[in-house]
């Protein structure tokens, strides 16, 4: 069978159209990855294009790896010839490692992740005497990133500052840029910006890359920002064999700088462009597809497409409306429990607008004893112990990297206190020198107390030893030296806590990753680049049967069953978008993305009332406008219950919930945090409607049933009291927070 015989007519046309600019509008589930990989294979196999002259860029390591794997499965390539398939950032790293010195960027530059960037911003705030209460470091970093994505230098940012606060941000921005230059470091935004600057300022380098990659494919083109757009333009100056693949209806990253104009106005940039629409959907049932299409059709700024599927009609889109947030989450958990009895291996996703919404669903799933995976937690390379050890490796390659030095200087503890570190930072600032240089001067000239110098000297010797290791030494060998010299593992073993053993497992996994890197023949810098470029989107566990994630994290994934929860005004669409037409259209696209993740079953849910911002009382919510945009004929109301009194309530029962309460909800409704509801949760006997009139000794403290207030967690109800005296422990259910176990003596509770 020919390679092309496996494609539908539109896909085949997209693969065979190889010369000149081409925009492929690929609807959700239309097989765009297949088209991209078949196109690469077609160019190499049928058109005779050397594989190394093909460049394909996308946004996640996972997507890039999938493309590489598929291409290798389609054709056999001679020798080491391979198309270059990578993310935008990986491409820029490789370009800058090779040609960065031509614009003054050292080859051994460090890549700062968000945590590193925040440390630099906080240091800048301290140096400028700015209180972080006035300027939050994370907010400042967000402004700096936004400015970079829109091509604004610190000077330009200052000139356009609308108020004194923004002027201060501009000053921090300037100091931040200086700090990165001094540390020979770049952040993620700089990787793109510096690559663009290189190609713009050095015509010779630009020509080399234009000639090396005459055929370029860009995946998820609707997610490109202006810098990525400029990069593509600079790579297609001498030829325009550009294939851009995307879907304007799935553009959901404007907050990250994505510019929808890049895809909507593609023909303005490339007047000779052809447009091919992939409209056959291979993922969803007709009812899911029709419902999603009906929602997104209300957007005005789109090119438009008509999706269809050859699949059977399937069931209608489910809709459940609960009285409150807990009820909504319990319905979801109970539905999943019933479904799991029918098909234990079916994969199910719960999608929500914001991370904060996951709590209720996690609690409900735990009540039903259902295992789940939350996407977007702390990723492996962001864990403290992993970052500590990576800091040693980064500093070993680049001793000017002050952030990495400061992270590992007292980890594990070696007697170098905060006072010593702050003193060195002040000296470095006054002398306008790096932390490493000023440390050497302080040791040589004995500028610090003897005790401080005694602690600093071994650390400096260790870093010099690591720096002196041969350039070909891989991450594995250097890590082993760090472990031996610092006794990092031994210090955790001596700690002996469950948390410490968990950290030891993470370190062992890091050593495994370094060993794998060594077997692949990677250098230390290549290993560090890989660790720095792993994104949140790469943390999805394909083996998880129940996944919880935000709608943004769900992009590009698919599941047999999808719950799209919190379908309320203020949640979806988000409250920040309600007064802005463009933002509202993006929220509609986000809803469309969520709906089109479903293959066989899609259920939309909402709560009639919901607590917001830890308020004591639930507030009435309004149904999302997106619900009203779905034709009623496509919806099945799951809220209505036969033979009840018209009430809608899902109530949790503690004894074998997944087995005993799968038939439907209780007929009577109780308050979300009622004592009786939670008594059942703990398997306690039901309370009496009338108090028992018996004499008992007065109980001090907070007996079960007490209403209390906590300075941090707010209002709640004491559910259980254990122990006596100073060892008394309380289990309290706090509104909007959940269950907390507190030692009564130190709980700082107030009776209400």
């Amino acid at each position: 069978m020919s390679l092309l015989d496996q494609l539908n007519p539109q896909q085949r046309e997209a693969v065979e159209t190889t010369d000149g600019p081409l925009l492929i509008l690929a609807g959700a589930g239309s097989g765009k990855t297949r088209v991209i990989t078949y196109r690469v294979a077609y160019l190499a196999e049928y058109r005779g294009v050397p594989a190394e002259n093909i460049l394909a860029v996308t946004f996640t390591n996972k997507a890039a790896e999938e493309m590489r794997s598929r291409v290798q499965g389609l054709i056999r390539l001679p020798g080491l010839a391979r198309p270059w398939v990578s993310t935008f950032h990986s491409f820029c790293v490789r370009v800058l490692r090779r040609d960065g010195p031509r614009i003054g960027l050292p080859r051994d530059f460090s890549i700062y992740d968000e945590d590193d960037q925040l440390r630099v911003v906080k240091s800048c705030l301290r140096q400028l005497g700015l209180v972080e209460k006035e300027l939050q470091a994370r907010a400042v970093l967000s402004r700096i990133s936004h400015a970079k994505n829109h091509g604004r230098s610190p000077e330009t940012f200052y000139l356009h500052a609308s108020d004194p606060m923004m002027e201060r941000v501009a000053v921090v921005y300037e100091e931040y840029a200086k700090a990165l230059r001094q540390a020979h470091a770049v952040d993620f935004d700089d990787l793109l910006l510096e690559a663009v600057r290189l190609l713009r300022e050095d015509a010779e380098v630009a020509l080399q890359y234009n000639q090396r990659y005459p055929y370029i494919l860009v995946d998820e083109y609707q997610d490109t920002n202006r810098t990525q757009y400029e990069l593509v333009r600079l790579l297609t100056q001498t030829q325009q064999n550009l294939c851009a693949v995307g879907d304007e209806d799935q553009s959901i990253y404007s907050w990250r700088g994505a510019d929808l104009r890049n895809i909507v106005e593609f023909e303005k940039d490339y007047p000779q462009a052809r447009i091919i629409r992939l409209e056959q959907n291979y993922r969803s049932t007709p009812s899911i597809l029709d419902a999603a299409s009906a929602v997104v059709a209300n957007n005005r700024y789109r090119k438009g497409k008509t999706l269809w599927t050859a699949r059977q009609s399937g069931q209608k889109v489910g809709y459940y409306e609960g009285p409150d947030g807990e009820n909504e989450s319990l319905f979801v958990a109970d539905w999943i429990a019933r479904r799991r009895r029918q098909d234990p291996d079916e994969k199910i996703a719960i999608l929500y607008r914001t991370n904060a919404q996951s709590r209720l669903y996690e609690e409900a799933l735990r009540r039903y004893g259902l295992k789940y995976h939350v996407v977007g937690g702390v990723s492996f390379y962001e864990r403290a112990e992993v970052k500590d050890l990576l800091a040693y490796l980064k500093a070993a390659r680049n001793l000017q990297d002050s952030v990495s030095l400061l992270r590992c200087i007292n980890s594990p503890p070696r007697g170098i206190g905060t006072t010593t570190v702050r003193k060195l930072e002040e000296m470095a600032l006054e002398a306008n020198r790096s932390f490493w240089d000023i440390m050497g001067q302080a040791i040589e000239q004995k500028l610090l107390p003897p005790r401080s110098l005694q602690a600093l000297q071994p650390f400096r010797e260790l870093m010099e030893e690591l720096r002196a290791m041969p350039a070909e030494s891989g991450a594995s060998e250097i890590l082993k030296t760090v472990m031996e010299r610092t006794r990092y593992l031994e210090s955790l073993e001596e700690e002996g806590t469950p948390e410490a053993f968990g950290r030891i497992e993470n370190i062992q996994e890091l050593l495994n990753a370094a060993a794998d890197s060594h077997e692949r023949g990677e250098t230390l810098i290549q290993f560090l680049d890989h660790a720095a470029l792993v994104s949140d989107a790469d943390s999805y566990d394909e083996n998880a049967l129940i996944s919880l994630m935000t709608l943004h994290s769900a992009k590009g994934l698919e599941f047999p069953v999808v719950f799209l929860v919190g379908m309320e005004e203020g949640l979806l669409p988000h409250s920040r978008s309600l007064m802005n037409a463009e933002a509202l259209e993006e929220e509609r696209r986000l809803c469309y993305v969520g709906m089109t993740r479903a293959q066989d079953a899609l259920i939309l849910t909402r709560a009639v009332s919901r607590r917001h911002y830890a308020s004591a009382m639930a507030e009435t919510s309004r149904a999302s406008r997106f619900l009203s945009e779905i034709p009623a004929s496509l919806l099945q109301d799951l809220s209505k219950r036969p033979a009840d009194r018209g009430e809608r309530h899902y109530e949790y029962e503690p004894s074998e919930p997944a087995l005993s309460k799968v038939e439907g909800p209780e007929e009577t409704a109780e308050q979300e945090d009622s004592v009786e509801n939670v008594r059942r949760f703990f398997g306690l006997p039901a309370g009496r409607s009338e108090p028992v009139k018996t004499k008992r000794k007065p109980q001090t403290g907070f007996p079960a049933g007490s209403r209390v207030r906590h300075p941090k967690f707010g209002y709640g109800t004491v559910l259980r009291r254990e122990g006596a005296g100073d060892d008394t422990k309380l289990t309290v259910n706090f509104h909007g927070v959940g269950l907390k176990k507190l030692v009564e003596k130190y709980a700082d509770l107030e009776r209400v």
Side-chain angles (χ1 to χ4, degrees):
M1 179 184 289
S2 165
L3 188 74
L4 300 177
D5 291 339
Q6 303 173 49
L7 306 172
N8 69 36
Q10 290 72 35
Q11 291 175 334
R12 180 166 182 158
E13 183 185 6
V15 167
E16 291 181 311
T17 305
T18 56
D19 295 331
L22 171 67
L23 174 62
I24 301 175
L25 291 176
S30 63
K32 73 176 178 65
T33 304
R34 164 174 282 216
V35 168
I36 294 172
T37 53
Y38 274 60
R39 184 182 170 90
V40 172
Y42 179 79
L43 284 167
E45 188 88 352
Y46 290 83
R47 294 295 305 274
V49 178
E52 62 271 23
N53 293 146
I54 303 170
L55 170 65
V57 289
T58 185
F59 279 83
T60 67
N61 294 308
K62 186 175 180 180
E65 181 55 39
E66 182 182 359
M67 285 185 196
R68 279 192 291 267
S69 177
R70 288 203 194 184
V71 169
Q72 290 171 11
L74 290 173
I75 56 174
R76 290 190 175 184
L77 298 170
L80 298 175
R82 293 290 182 273
W84 191 353
V85 183
S86 75
T87 64
F88 272 102
H89 288 92
S90 294
F91 172 79
C92 292
V93 167
R94 192 164 170 182
V95 168
L96 293 173
R97 292 285 184 211
R98 176 185 167 182
D99 296 306
R102 298 177 72 118
I103 55 171
L105 188 66
R107 283 197 175 91
D108 63 352
F109 62 83
S110 296
I111 302 173
Y112 280 2
D113 62 17
E114 186 178 10
D115 183 64
D116 298 328
Q117 293 171 258
L118 282 170
R119 288 171 180 260
V120 176
V121 170
K122 288 178 181 179
S123 175
C124 293
L125 289 172
R126 284 197 306 270
Q127 293 171 15
L128 294 169
L130 295 172
V131 182
E132 201 175 337
K133 288 182 179 179
E134 297 178 10
L135 281 178
Q136 292 289 334
R138 195 173 295 276
V140 172
L141 184 58
S142 177
R143 292 283 184 177
I144 292 172
S145 179
H146 184 272
K148 287 186 174 185
N149 280 321
H150 289 79
R152 292 185 177 180
S153 65
E155 296 78 12
T156 307
F157 189 95
Y158 184 83
L159 291 174
H160 288 86
S162 57
D163 54 51
M165 182 72 76
M166 288 299 102
E167 290 178 357
R168 288 196 286 273
V169 172
V171 175
V172 178
Y173 181 9
E174 185 176 19
E175 291 301 313
Y176 172 84
K178 287 180 184 176
L180 261 61
R181 284 195 298 271
Q182 187 177 66
H184 296 174
V186 296
D187 60 25
F188 283 174
D189 296 320
D190 290 331
L191 289 174
L192 300 171
L193 290 166
E194 291 299 284
V196 166
R197 183 164 74 91
L198 170 65
L199 296 177
R200 188 180 287 148
E201 295 180 3
D202 195 316
E204 182 182 348
V205 171
L207 181 60
Q208 287 175 4
Y209 283 99
N210 271 256
Q211 291 175 339
R212 182 173 180 181
Y213 300 111
Y215 289 91
I216 296 178
L217 299 88
V218 182
D219 188 22
E220 304 287 7
Y221 195 68
Q222 77 282 349
D223 292 335
T224 54
N225 59 29
R226 293 312 278 185
T227 308
Q228 289 159 335
Y229 164 85
E230 287 293 332
L231 180 65
V232 173
R233 294 282 285 175
L234 288 165
L235 290 170
T236 55
Q237 287 177 311
T238 61
Q239 48 71 32
Q240 294 195 339
N241 299 325
L242 168 66
C243 174
V245 185
D247 180 4
E248 81 282 9
D249 289 333
Q250 297 188 67
S251 179
I252 58 174
Y253 294 110
S254 66
W255 51 276
R256 219 162 57 183
D259 194 333
L260 189 56
R261 292 176 300 171
N262 295 350
I263 189 169
V264 175
E265 301 177 7
F266 186 81
E267 302 96 311
K268 291 184 179 179
D269 298 321
Y270 301 94
Q272 305 302 315
R274 287 191 60 185
I275 298 179
I276 297 175
R277 287 173 167 80
L278 304 183
E279 297 178 313
Q280 182 176 358
N281 177 283
Y282 293 92
R283 177 186 298 154
S284 307
T285 63
S287 55
I288 294 172
L289 208 55
D290 291 345
S293 297
V295 171
V296 81
N298 289 274
N299 276 356
R300 294 183 178 182
Y301 194 53
R302 61 192 293 258
K303 301 183 83 68
K305 64 191 75 67
T306 305
L307 298 187
W308 62 278
T309 179
R311 289 192 61 183
Q312 295 297 316
S313 181
Q315 62 195 56
K316 292 184 177 182
V317 175
Y319 171 61
Y320 179 78
E321 181 181 283
D324 51 47
E326 184 190 43
N327 173 276
E328 178 194 22
S329 63
L330 290 173
F331 163 78
V332 172
D334 190 90
W335 194 100
I336 293 174
R338 283 184 287 147
R339 187 78 167 202
R340 291 290 296 277
R341 291 175 64 188
Q342 301 170 18
D343 186 353
D345 298 323
E346 187 174 49
K347 293 182 180 179
I348 298 173
I350 301 173
L351 310 182
Y352 35 78
R353 178 62 178 83
T354 65
N355 277 308
Q357 291 173 253
S358 73
R359 180 188 62 83
L360 283 173
Y361 302 94
E362 292 188 64
E363 290 179 359
L365 292 170
R366 283 199 297 267
R367 291 181 184 184
Y368 276 79
L370 297 170
K371 293 183 179 180
Y372 60 88
H373 173 68
V374 180
V375 177
V378 179
S379 69
F380 178 76
Y381 287 105
E382 290 176 340
R383 292 167 185 168
E385 58 278 6
V386 174
K387 287 183 70 68
D388 286 348
L389 293 173
L390 289 178
Y392 278 99
L393 303 188
K394 290 166 73 175
R397 291 299 93 196
N398 175 14
L399 291 171
Q400 303 303 310
D401 182 352
S402 299
V403 169
S404 295
L405 282 169
L406 287 168
R407 181 167 192 110
C408 64
I409 194 170
N410 203 40
S411 185
R414 51 171 58 89
I416 303 174
T418 304
T419 303
T420 300
V421 171
R422 287 289 167 84
K423 180 62 178 176
L424 287 171
E425 284 186 296
E426 291 171 5
M427 293 166 62
L429 180 63
E430 290 174 5
N432 194 27
R433 299 179 67 187
S434 71
F435 188 85
W436 173 257
D437 292 341
I438 212 69
M439 185 200 305
Q441 181 181 337
I443 293 172
E444 183 180 341
Q445 300 179 8
K446 295 182 172 53
L447 302 177
L448 295 171
R451 187 174 178 181
S452 298
L453 295 173
Q454 189 176 1
L456 283 171
Q457 184 65 41
F459 174 70
R460 188 172 177 88
E461 290 173 357
L462 169 61
M463 297 312 301
E464 288 174 336
E465 178 186 345
L466 297 177
R467 179 64 174 172
M469 292 183 74
E472 60 271 16
S473 297
S476 181
E477 186 176 343
I478 300 177
L479 263 179
K480 287 177 182 176
T481 302
V482 172
M483 303 299 290
E484 291 171 2
R485 298 277 270 105
T486 63
R487 299 187 72 254
Y488 199 114
L489 273 179
E490 288 85 343
S491 66
L492 289 174
E493 288 169 351
E494 290 167 4
E495 187 178 319
T497 63
E499 292 81 5
F501 289 123
R503 296 176 72 185
I504 289 172
E505 289 177 357
N506 289 333
I507 291 171
Q508 290 169 340
E509 185 58 32
L510 178 63
L511 291 169
N512 291 339
D516 292 341
S517 171
H518 180 71
E519 288 179 3
R520 292 193 297 268
E522 292 180 349
T523 65
L524 172 59
I525 285 181
Q526 288 173 324
F527 174 74
L528 291 173
D529 287 346
H530 170 77
L533 296 173
V534 171
S535 68
D536 292 342
D538 299 317
S539 67
Y540 167 61
D541 181 1
E542 292 184 350
N543 296 318
L545 293 177
I546 303 174
S547 299
L548 282 70
M549 67 188 81
T550 65
L551 287 162
H552 286 98
S553 296
K555 177 78 181 303
L557 303 177
E558 61 183 22
F559 306 89
V561 179
V562 168
F563 284 89
L564 184 44
V565 300
M567 293 290 291
E568 300 149 34
E569 293 289 299
L571 283 179
L572 185 65
H574 196 280
S575 56
R576 290 194 299 266
S577 71
L578 297 180
M579 303 303 291
N580 183 298
E582 289 183 6
L584 193 57
E585 289 212 348
E586 179 155 328
E587 292 292 304
R588 187 175 280 110
R589 293 193 293 270
L590 193 56
C591 180
Y592 171 80
V593 165
M595 296 174 74
T596 53
R597 299 311 94 197
Q599 294 171 290
D600 305 317
L602 170 64
I603 299 176
L604 313 174
T605 70
R606 68 165 290 236
V608 174
S609 64
R610 190 181 298 275
R611 285 196 178 88
H612 295 281
Y613 310 112
S615 59
M617 298 295 292
E619 301 174 9
T620 302
S621 67
R622 290 171 53 209
S624 169
R625 68 191 69 194
F626 304 148
L627 288 170
S628 65
E629 294 171 356
I630 302 173
S633 60
L634 298 175
L635 293 173
Q636 177 186 0
D637 191 351
L638 304 179
S639 311
K640 296 177 181 177
R641 304 296 169 204
D644 67 9
R645 295 193 297 269
E647 298 175 9
R648 299 177 178 181
H649 184 67
Y650 232 84
E651 180 182 285
Y652 169 73
E653 288 287 346
S655 56
E656 300 292 323
L659 301 177
S660 64
K661 296 302 294 181
V662 295
E663 300 303 324
E666 288 293 309
E667 294 183 3
T668 58
E670 291 180 346
Q671 288 187 352
E672 176 182 351
D673 295 304
S674 71
V675 175
E676 292 307 318
N677 226 2
V678 200
R679 278 181 181 278
R680 283 194 293 276
F681 171 56
F682 283 99
L684 300 176
R688 300 174 181 271
S689 58
E690 294 292 333
V692 181
K693 297 180 180 179
T694 57
K695 292 183 180 180
R696 61 173 66 180
K697 293 181 181 179
Q699 185 180 34
T700 59
F702 302 92
S706 300
R707 297 281 294 168
V708 296
R709 184 173 67 84
H710 187 273
K712 179 179 179 181
F713 304 130
Y715 292 92
T717 303
V718 178
L719 305 179
R720 177 179 284 181
R721 180 186 178 90
E722 304 168 83
D726 291 346
D727 295 326
T728 302
K729 297 181 179 65
L730 305 175
T731 301
V732 186
N733 186 34
F734 290 102
H735 303 309
V737 177
L739 300 174
K740 297 290 180 182
K741 198 160 190 174
L742 309 170
V743 178
E744 185 181 58
K745 182 178 180 181
Y746 306 106
D748 197 17
L749 293 174
E750 176 184 342
R751 196 185 305 275
V752 294

